[in-house]
Amino acid sequence: MDQKKEASLPLSRTDFLSATLIGIATLALYVRTLAPSLLWGDPAEFQTLSYTLGMSHPSGYMTQVVIGKLFTYIPVGNIAYRANLMSAFFGALAVAQVYLIVRLLGGRRIAAVSASMMLAFAPLFWWCALVAESYAPASGMITTVWLCVLLWRRTGNWIYLFIAGITGGISLGIHSTAGMTAASVLVTMILTARKRTDWFGATAGGLVGLALLISFFLLLDHKDPPSSIYNTVYRTNFSAMGLTESQFDTPIERFLAIFPVGHFWAFFFTATPQEIIRRLVEYLSFYPIWALVLILTGAAALFQRNWRDAFYPLIAFLLIWGFAITVEFSVYHDFYAPVAVFAYVWLGVGAGVLLDMMEKLLNRNRSGLRVATGIVSMLFIVLPFWHARNDLRPAILSGYTSFVREMHLYPIFAKDKAIHDAMKIVDRVESNAIVFTDWDKLYSYVYTAQIVNHETGISFHEVWFGNELKLSETTIAYINDNIDSRPIYFAIDVPGLEERYRVVKINDTLQRIYRK
């Protein structure tokens, strides 16, 4: 390729090669430290439903489940491990695309490498790439849309907007944070799109993406396996949820129950002012001082260079980060993973600004320029590894990081602990039993029974207490309809259970109920 032609392209072959190598190296690191088997809570749900193709908890995560199904065909490890691989892949994809985004925003290659490595090694991002969760896939979708918008801005080719629209549409079935970046796309389009083909491309892509999202929902809704959230939670807890059976009859009603319109925005600023301030201080502590300086420098530099490019990350950052800071949820930390892609892109741009300033200051002394810029460039490469040294060493040598141990992210020395624990329940109940438990254990039991033991006749349900610590009316009706024909167990303590039923303790975890 001649220099003139290469200069006309927004990215060079070297950039794509560098991004690919960074992505492969990051994927290898994430696979090395990947959770090796079944987990609990939400990850166990995704591990199970990616195989059985059932609907998950609100907001449905339809795209997550359908794409996760593709990963279950990879012939390595067990089904749970394969579902974890999806997060590793999309986490590595996000890291690789951060490199490309920094380059498109005028950052130097060294700065882009430093930014992508800082993101890859950041514990709040790294852990999301190790378990079957939605935050790493959401980050991959967010960077894909942003990259496509930037490519459109640089080339004027509407096909990039079409791809961004499709990605944005299906990303609504992965996580709400991906959907929140739609505001950034809209503002960018209003400020810069002047051709009808641009608006047509974005709109057509968005419609195709939404059509795919709806088709994913209809697929999962139609299959409705015993593992679906419909059967494990909803149908036995209608009264606690303020629903009736007649309000859950049609796909539209079920879609609105799983994907409530406007529900997400109601959670902004539900945390107390004191908690918001505490989180602000906490968030700043996640970054070293030099990184904060470069992040702020990069954000300001984008406005100076091209304010239309600058609004995109700023709007998306404020929406997602603002939600994490102000929401009442105790798991607000998880939202820092998708928002990290914007912070580290700013860091990359800021690092490029610093190198540009050094060249201007040292322009008269060519030898001094080479030495100084060489030292600083080397620092930008070394610093990510230096800050991550306490995690990288055990990750490479032992296959886990220090934060995995601190967070108890997964069992390090007993990879199948969740399966073994679940077997203590699954093996003790009859093949047609009904078992009530809490959310944390629910899908580890479902996975073990249905995928490991191929026992599909055991029904597992979450005990949903609602506002009162007692069984819901729907749950009681369900129990009374089945207690004479099926054995019913509780793997969780329920206040007042003995007042309504005769309870026989099986072991420390399990108890069976009978009519009085």
Side-chain angles (χ1 to χ4, degrees), residues 277-308:
I277 293 173
R278 186 195 69 79
R279 292 183 190 179
L280 284 169
V281 175
E282 178 192 54
Y283 184 77
L284 293 175
S285 70
F286 295 144
Y287 299 91
I289 296 297
W290 67 268
L292 286 174
V293 171
L294 291 180
I295 289 170
L296 294 174
T297 301
L302 285 183
F303 275 97
Q304 184 180 20
R305 291 176 179 176
N306 192 324
W307 58 271
R308 293 175 179 84

Side-chain angles (χ1 to χ4, degrees), residues 247-261:
Q247 294 174 321
F248 208 70
D249 279 344
T250 66
I252 293 177
E253 289 172 331
R254 291 190 289 270
F255 181 83
L256 293 177
I258 295 294
F259 206 92
V261 179

Side-chain angles (χ1 to χ4, degrees), residues 22-87:
I22 288 170
I24 291 173
T26 302
L27 180 61
L29 177 66
Y30 290 167
V31 170
R32 173 61 175 157
T33 53
L34 197 68
S37 188
L38 180 66
L39 298 167
W40 298 270
D42 290 2
E45 181 194 19
F46 289 128
Q47 289 170 326
T48 303
L49 298 180
S50 292
Y51 182 75
T52 63
L53 286 180
M55 190 65 66
S56 68
H57 68 279
S59 53
Y61 302 93
M62 295 77 77
T63 306
Q64 170 93 14
V65 171
V66 172
I67 296 179
K69 179 65 175 180
L70 301 179
F71 279 84
T72 65
Y73 291 115
I74 300 174
V76 58
N78 58 18
I79 296 298
Y81 179 83
R82 298 172 193 179
N84 294 338
L85 280 173
M86 176 179 172
S87 290

Side-chain angles (χ1 to χ4, degrees), residues 1-11 154-155:
M1 182 180 293
D2 58 67
Q3 291 183 353
K4 184 177 181 180
K5 187 175 181 181
E6 185 172 3
S8 67
L9 297 176
L11 292 167
R154 299 300 184 269
T155 66

